Amino acid sequence: NQPPTPPPRGLAPGGEGGRMALLDNGDPQQRYLPVPIHNLLAEREEGNLRGLALERAVKRMRSELVGLSRDREVRAFEGSSVSCMCVDEVEDRYLLCGYKDGSVSIVDCEDTPRPGRRAYETVQRLQRSQAHRYTVTGCSWYPLDTGLYMTGSFDATLKVWDANREANAHTFALPDKLHCIAMSASARHSHVAAGCGDGMVYLCDLRSGSHHHSLRGHRGSWVSSAAWRPGHEFVLVTGGKDGTLRLWDVRRTKSCLALLCQEGRPKQPKRGRGDEDDLSPPVAHSGGVDAVVFTREGRYLMSSGSDCRMREWDPDSCELVVVNFGTFPRGGDGRGHSHRVVQPACAWNGPIVYHPRVNDVVGCNVETGERVATLRAHLDRVTCVCTQSRGEQVFTAGLDNNVLVWQPPRTWHKEGE
C-alpha cells in the first residue's frame, strides 16, 4: 500500500475556504488562512498589491464567509416576532427591534459574552402598554446620537423616544396607518419620512414637531417603503403597493422627480405639475414594491417586490441596471397582509445585498447578481435583515421568534483542532 500523498508544503485540507494555507507567525496553535487570503498577503509582501486594495479584497472575502455565530445570540421574547430592526450608525452597537405585538427592545451588541452566557444584553424593553397598541412597522435611530430613536406603528402614530429616560419625547399623530419610516441623516434638516395607508408620505420635522409637508403620488394603496439617498440630503425614494417607485426632492413637494420603470427608462413628470391625472403610471414591480434600500455609498438602489424579484437601479439616471438576481419566493401567500413582508440590507464590508428567501437569507453580489452566501438556520419564514454600518455582523429575524447573529470566522485552525 502506498502512503497517502502529503499536501503541498504550507497547505492543509479542510476549513471554510476549501484548502487552507499555514500562517507561519510563530503561533504554537498553527493557525491557518484560506488560500485566497494567503495569496493576497504574498502579493502584498512582494509589493504587487497596495494596502487599500488588500483591505478591500480581504473585507470582500470575509463578507462571503459569513456564518452562524457560535458565541453570540440575541435573546428571544416569547409570543411575538420581530417586524423591523436596525443598528445605530453612531456607535454601531445598539440593535433596535420592533415587534408585531407593539413592543420595542434595544440590544447591546458590544456586550462581551461570559462563560454560561452567550446572549447579548437587552438594555431596554418597552412592553405593548408602553410603546404601541399594534404592530411596529418601522424603527430608526437618530443619526447623530444614540439617545434618540423613532418607531412607527399601525396605530397611526410616529413616536420619538428618549433612550436615556426610556420615555416618549414626542408623538406625531398621523391621519392613517403608518407602514414605513425613514430618518434622514442630514444635519441641515431633521425630517422623518412616514409612509401611510392613504398613499401619502408625511415629512415629520423633529425640530418643530409638525408634519405639514407631504408628498402625494401613490394612489389607491399604501406607501410600503422609503429610503433617503446617502450623500444627497434632500433625495427620497418611496415605493408603494401600486407598484410605483418614485424619486423625490423634498424641497419640491408638488411632483416627484421621476417614476422608475421596470422596462428600463424612467418617466419624468412635467415640472410644476402633479401626476395625479396619470391613469397608467409606469411600475417598478408587478404587484407592489415591498422594500427599498440603498447601497452604503449610495451608488445603487435596490428594490424588492411582491413579484418575488429584486431589481437594481441607477439613482443618477433613474434607469434599470440589468442584473439577474433570480427569484425570492416568500413561502406563503402574502395577500391580505397590509405590511411589507421583507426587509433586505446591504453589507458594509463588500458589494453584497442580503435578501430573505422563505426560511433562508441569500447574499447576492450587487454588481454581478451572483449568489455568494446562504444563511440557513431559521425554522420559519425570515422577515428582516440588518447589518452593522462598520462592523461585520449580520442580524436576521423570522416568524420563529428568533433573532440570529451571523459573522465571519474570527480565526481559522487546522481541521481537527
Side-chain angles (χ1 to χ4, degrees):
N1 295 330
Q2 296 291 335
T5 303
R9 184 179 181 182
L11 297 180
E16 298 193 38
R19 293 193 307 170
M20 309 293 286
L22 175 62
L23 181 61
D24 186 13
N25 59 358
D27 190 341
Q29 294 185 352
Q30 290 189 339
R31 297 187 177 180
Y32 288 76
L33 286 177
V35 169
I37 296 182
H38 183 271
N39 293 340
L40 288 174
L41 294 177
E43 290 287 326
R44 175 59 179 165
E45 290 178 355
E46 295 174 2
N48 298 326
L49 194 65
R50 293 185 177 182
L52 184 58
L54 173 64
E55 179 183 356
R56 290 175 177 173
V58 171
K59 287 180 178 179
R60 189 168 188 165
M61 288 181 183
R62 287 182 60 81
S63 66
E64 298 177 2
L65 295 175
V66 170
L68 185 63
S69 176
R70 297 181 179 181
D71 57 356
R72 298 288 193 273
E73 64 182 25
V74 176
R75 178 187 173 189
F77 293 95
E78 298 182 0
S80 183
S81 59
V82 173
S83 56
C84 57
M85 58 183 179
C86 64
V87 180
D88 77 281
E89 297 188 2
V90 178
E91 300 184 41
D92 204 23
R93 171 177 180 176
Y94 296 105
L95 176 66
L96 175 63
C97 300
Y99 292 81
K100 286 195 172 183
D101 65 354
S103 59
V104 178
S105 71
I106 299 177
V107 180
D108 185 356
C109 297
E110 261 192 12
D111 178 43
T112 303
R114 297 187 291 271
R117 178 185 167 186
R118 297 174 48 191
Y120 285 128
E121 180 184 2
T122 301
V123 296
Q124 189 172 129
R125 172 75 170 175
L126 299 178
Q127 301 294 336
R128 178 180 180 181
S129 59
Q130 301 171 280
H132 293 278
R133 290 181 296 164
Y134 305 120
T135 299
V136 180
T137 54
C139 60
S140 179
W141 286 98
Y142 186 65
L144 305 178
D145 186 9
T146 56
L148 206 66
Y149 64 91
M150 283 68 63
T151 59
S153 170
F154 276 160
D155 60 9
T157 62
L158 171 64
K159 294 188 176 183
V160 183
W161 301 92
D162 186 330
N164 298 318
R165 297 191 298 115
E166 300 186 19
N168 179 221
H170 185 73
T171 298
F172 293 92
L174 300 175
D176 208 326
K177 291 181 179 180
L178 195 149
H179 289 259
C180 65
I181 66 173
M183 177 69 209
S184 172
S186 172
R188 296 180 58 184
H189 66 85
S190 300
H191 288 161
V192 182
C196 292
D198 57 0
M200 301 283 287
V201 180
Y202 297 94
L203 300 179
C204 303
D205 191 343
L206 297 182
R207 295 178 180 174
S208 64
S210 64
H211 58 277
H212 298 308
H213 296 286
S214 60
L215 307 177
R216 182 190 301 271
H218 298 280
R219 301 189 310 276
S221 61
W222 59 90
V223 180
S224 55
S225 55
W228 296 88
R229 185 181 179 185
H232 296 73
E233 56 188 6
F234 296 108
V235 176
L236 176 71
V237 172
T238 60
K241 277 299 179 179
D242 57 356
T244 61
L245 194 60
R246 298 170 183 265
L247 188 73
W248 306 85
D249 185 333
V250 297
R251 295 169 296 184
R252 283 179 49 196
T253 59
K254 180 63 177 177
S255 64
C256 63
L257 297 177
L259 287 88
L260 280 61
C261 177
Q262 61 182 348
E263 301 298 329
R265 298 185 61 83
K267 176 183 178 181
Q268 297 179 341
K270 294 182 179 180
R271 186 175 181 85
R273 290 185 55 189
D275 57 351
E276 294 84 357
D277 56 343
D278 191 349
L279 300 180
S280 58
V283 297
H285 289 274
S286 303
V289 180
D290 288 331
V292 292
V293 61
F294 280 98
T295 55
R296 292 294 182 181
E297 72 286 352
R299 182 180 179 184
Y300 297 114
L301 169 67
M302 315 301 298
S303 66
S304 176
S306 299
D307 53 4
C308 300
R309 292 283 183 176
M310 181 168 61
R311 293 191 170 93
E312 181 175 327
W313 311 85
D314 183 344
D316 291 323
S317 64
C318 298
E319 294 185 356
L320 177 68
V321 179
V322 182
V323 179
N324 183 14
F325 296 100
T327 60
F328 298 87
R330 303 296 169 82
D333 189 359
R335 298 174 185 175
H337 294 281
S338 57
H339 180 52
R340 70 177 188 273
V341 293
V342 295
Q343 178 186 320
C346 291
W348 168 80
N349 55 350
I352 295 179
V353 56
Y354 295 101
H355 193 290
R357 184 193 62 180
V358 196
N359 296 6
D360 308 331
V361 175
V362 177
C364 299
N365 188 297
V366 172
E367 300 168 349
T368 65
E370 178 187 2
R371 298 190 173 187
V372 298
T374 300
L375 312 183
R376 182 178 292 116
H378 282 278
L379 304 177
D380 205 339
R381 183 162 56 89
V382 179
T383 56
C384 304
V385 185
C386 75
T387 59
Q388 291 182 305
S389 58
R390 296 180 297 277
E392 297 181 313
Q393 289 185 327
V394 180
F395 303 93
T396 61
L399 297 182
D400 56 0
N401 297 351
N402 289 322
V403 179
L404 302 182
V405 183
W406 309 79
Q407 62 185 13
R410 300 195 174 190
T411 58
W412 288 275
H413 297 276
K414 184 177 178 180
E415 188 174 5
E417 289 185 349

